[in-house]
Amino acid sequence: MRDFSLRQISSAVLTAINTSVNNMSVKRVNIKSISLGIGTSLLMLSFNAQAAEPVANMPVETSTQNSDAQLTSVNSTDGIIALVNDNVILKSDLINAVNQTQARAQAAGESLPNSAQLQSEILNALILRELQLSLINRVGLRPDEAAINQRLAQIAQSEGLDSISTLQQRLDANQAGSYAALRAQLMEDAAIQALQQRQIANRVRISEQDIDAFLSSPEAKRLNQSEYQTIHVRVPYVDDYNRLSEAQRAAALEIALQLRNSLQVPNVEVATAVAAVQGDYPIPLQGGDMGFNKASALPTELSSEITQLEVGEVSEPLITPEGIDIIKLADKKSSDTMIIPQWHTRHILVKTDELQTDALAEQKINDLYNQLRQGADFASLASTYSDDPGSAGRGGDLGWVSDGDMVGSFETVMKNTPIGDYSAPFKTQFGWHILKVDEQRQQDVSSEYRRNMARQVLYQRLAPQAQEDWLQELRASAYIQIL
């Protein structure tokens, strides 16, 4: 993959991505992000604005033309630009993707220059998307219809519409078939996301020793459930940090030290402390009482400082590129225990993969359901027929399951299944299931919560590289020809 910065198109191609590991700006949009996000972004662009004018002077390499030749909708009749195994990508696919990506970037107030690198990266994204969709079709992976409807409802709401049917009417009024295309695109995006999650889960391995090491680190303090009332005040610099004179830096530090002393007075009002030190300092001091927040909701640097303070204690001045920060822990609400509901659950899984189509899996799960209705033992059927190697040997026993442990559709069925009863067959991205709820309880899971949160943090660190490695392997194993 090229080491090429596409910061300008981050908002254009990441619209459909749920991620949220952090709030930092995207400085490099990699291939996997484009391949997941580009489809729905382009469809919604056509809903919100007119299509952009064709991109002019867009170079692309071909096998028969000079590498400086221009590919646009003006000088090129439609044709194949890439072969991807048994499928093709048309020139019009690439032109539309580039045009609408640029239009979306422009609508966001960003400048996205025409370049061969941009076109190459978008073509690579289209190739990877095609490879993933082909794999999805082979394994029969299908997204949850309820999740798709929920996403459509969110889109309708964001456009100021009151229902999915209103969204459909608006889209089809603009262009016939637009709603069906949007729904199909959302289903493709959801299927790609499910496929990637499955592949990443098979690659990322986190040991108990890894979790122990993380919990022993200072960063683990962010996992606690205590809430901190933080006073955060900044002394801004009078100029860019690199242009400050020694005298200007010393003046800012002197104000910060005075502020620290003022905030150390018990029960002092923040506004009073700030006013007492503002004096002739030319830039107004910024910040104040930030209220109560969990450590996990605070910026990492702030969280690391605040969790080390006692109530009423004020930090030393913290030098940043924007100014000098002073932090005080005004109050703390301790919450070291977490009581949650849990369900003791069993399940039978008939998975869909290269060897078992969705239709065949559905037929098998319905046969097992009929056996249960005729009095068959759930644990015996799970031991014999379930495709989940982790639970089949235990009669399908998943142990005690908490909120968020399972995918949404599985959890919804579990919560609606009476204790001692089993569900009707239902589908997730992993295949077809029948579940049984043996017991329910309220459990103190404070320790387990911390370990699970630690596992999640470690997973989020490792997942991007695992996904990138898989996508590179997927492309390396495919037949691809750029024409």
Side-chain angles (χ1 to χ4, degrees):
M1 181 172 51
R2 296 176 177 83
D3 187 16
F4 173 56
S5 174
L6 293 180
R7 181 177 181 178
Q8 293 89 343
I9 63 171
S10 59
S11 62
V13 299
L14 296 176
T15 301
I17 298 177
N18 293 322
T19 39
S20 67
V21 175
N22 56 61
N23 295 322
M24 297 177 66
S25 62
V26 177
K27 294 187 177 180
R28 181 175 183 276
V29 178
N30 57 34
I31 293 172
K32 61 181 179 295
S33 300
I34 303 174
S35 63
L36 177 60
I38 197 169
T40 307
S41 298
L42 301 187
L43 279 171
M44 288 311 299
L45 174 63
S46 64
F47 173 50
N48 292 310
Q50 296 295 323
E53 291 299 320
V55 176
N57 301 322
M58 182 68 67
V60 61
E61 296 182 4
T62 71
S63 58
T64 60
Q65 299 178 355
N66 184 277
S67 61
D68 293 330
Q70 310 299 313
L71 173 62
T72 71
S73 57
V74 175
N75 65 13
S76 174
T77 58
D78 201 6
I80 298 172
I81 194 170
L83 300 175
V84 184
N85 289 332
D86 296 329
N87 301 314
V88 300
I89 296 176
L90 301 178
K91 294 178 183 178
S92 58
D93 296 331
L94 178 59
I95 293 171
N96 290 337
V98 172
N99 284 343
Q100 295 188 58
T101 299
Q102 288 187 304
R104 194 168 189 87
Q106 184 178 8
E110 300 175 351
S111 175
L112 183 60
N114 301 343
S115 69
Q117 285 179 307
L118 170 65
Q119 189 172 13
S120 177
E121 290 289 341
I122 292 181
L123 176 58
N124 196 39
L126 294 174
I127 290 171
L128 282 172
R129 184 179 181 88
E130 188 63 44
L131 289 172
Q132 292 174 90
L133 290 174
S134 296
L135 181 56
I136 287 167
N137 290 332
R138 289 202 302 273
V139 303
L141 186 61
R142 295 291 181 271
D144 183 8
E145 289 285 343
I148 299 302
N149 289 334
Q150 183 179 14
R151 176 65 182 131
L152 286 167
Q154 292 172 347
I155 293 174
Q157 184 178 12
S158 69
E159 298 296 333
L161 306 176
D162 57 3
S163 66
I164 296 177
S165 60
T166 306
L167 174 66
Q168 180 176 2
Q169 294 171 5
R170 174 79 67 83
L171 286 171
D172 288 341
N174 291 339
Q175 183 175 350
S178 294
Y179 173 79
L182 172 60
R183 186 180 184 87
Q185 193 70 61
L186 288 173
M187 294 185 69
E188 286 186 355
D189 289 345
I192 288 175
Q193 186 175 22
L195 175 67
Q196 292 180 349
Q197 290 173 347
R198 179 185 294 185
Q199 293 293 331
I200 294 170
N202 291 334
R203 291 168 176 262
V204 175
R205 294 290 181 264
I206 300 170
S207 68
E208 294 302 313
Q209 290 76 16
D210 295 332
I211 294 174
D212 291 337
F214 177 84
L215 290 175
S216 299
S217 69
E219 189 178 357
K221 293 182 179 180
R222 288 171 55 82
L223 300 183
N224 68 53
Q225 290 300 294
S226 298
E227 295 186 353
Y228 301 86
Q229 183 185 5
T230 306
I231 294 173
H232 182 195
V233 181
R234 170 171 293 171
V235 180
Y237 297 127
V238 297
D239 199 353
D240 183 87
Y241 182 80
N242 294 322
R243 294 194 296 266
L244 290 174
S245 67
E246 289 299 325
Q248 290 172 325
R249 295 182 187 184
L253 180 58
E254 177 61 27
I255 294 295
L257 291 171
Q258 293 178 23
L259 175 63
R260 181 175 186 271
N261 292 334
S262 296
L263 289 175
Q264 285 178 325
V265 176
N267 302 318
V268 65
E269 292 288 337
V270 179
T272 302
V274 170
V277 301
Q278 179 70 60
D280 295 331
Y281 193 72
I283 306 296
L285 275 58
Q286 303 168 350
D289 190 339
M290 310 306 290
F292 282 94
N293 291 279
K294 293 181 179 179
S296 58
L298 298 171
T300 302
E301 297 80 4
L302 180 58
S303 172
S304 299
E305 264 320 303
I306 203 68
T307 53
Q308 299 180 44
L309 298 177
E310 299 294 334
V311 173
E313 189 176 1
V314 183
S315 72
E316 295 291 336
L318 305 174
I319 308 298
T320 77
E322 292 78 26
I324 304 177
D325 292 349
I326 299 294
I327 300 169
K328 178 179 180 178
L329 179 57
D331 199 1
K332 177 181 177 181
K333 295 178 181 178
S334 296
S335 179
D336 296 329
T337 60
M338 177 177 286
I339 309 297
I340 62 169
Q342 290 184 325
W343 294 261
H344 188 188
T345 308
R346 299 176 184 270
H347 85 136
I348 300 171
L349 168 66
V350 179
K351 66 180 180 180
T352 56
D353 54 24
E354 296 89 342
L355 302 177
Q356 187 162 250
T357 65
D358 183 73
L360 180 58
E362 184 178 11
Q363 180 181 342
K364 287 185 178 180
I365 203 72
N366 285 331
D367 290 342
L368 295 172
Y369 181 65
N370 289 333
Q371 292 183 50
L372 288 171
R373 296 182 65 184
Q374 295 170 11
D377 180 66
F378 192 98
S380 297
L381 289 181
S383 298
T384 305
Y385 297 106
S386 180
D387 290 331
D388 179 7
S391 66
R394 302 191 303 270
D397 192 353
L398 295 171
W400 289 99
V401 178
S402 307
D403 276 321
D405 286 351
M406 302 297 181
V407 294
S409 52
F410 189 101
E411 188 172 288
T412 299
V413 174
M414 178 184 69
K415 291 179 178 179
N416 290 323
T417 301
I419 297 173
D421 202 357
Y422 55 85
S423 71
F426 64 97
K427 187 180 178 183
T428 72
Q429 62 260 45
F430 302 103
W432 286 88
H433 307 254
I434 302 173
L435 67 78
K436 181 174 183 288
V437 177
D438 290 336
E439 304 174 77
Q440 185 178 356
R441 71 182 182 186
Q442 299 291 319
Q443 181 72 6
D444 182 354
V445 294
S446 305
S447 176
E448 292 87 343
Y449 169 82
R450 285 175 57 80
R451 296 190 71 82
N452 287 336
M453 288 296 292
R455 187 183 301 276
Q456 181 178 343
V457 170
L458 294 172
Y459 183 89
Q460 289 173 344
R461 289 179 181 174
L462 299 172
Q465 186 60 52
Q467 182 176 353
E468 180 124 351
D469 292 343
W470 170 65
L471 288 173
Q472 290 179 350
E473 292 174 13
L474 185 65
R475 173 161 184 150
S477 63
Y479 172 79
I480 299 171
Q481 182 180 4
I482 309 298
L483 303 176

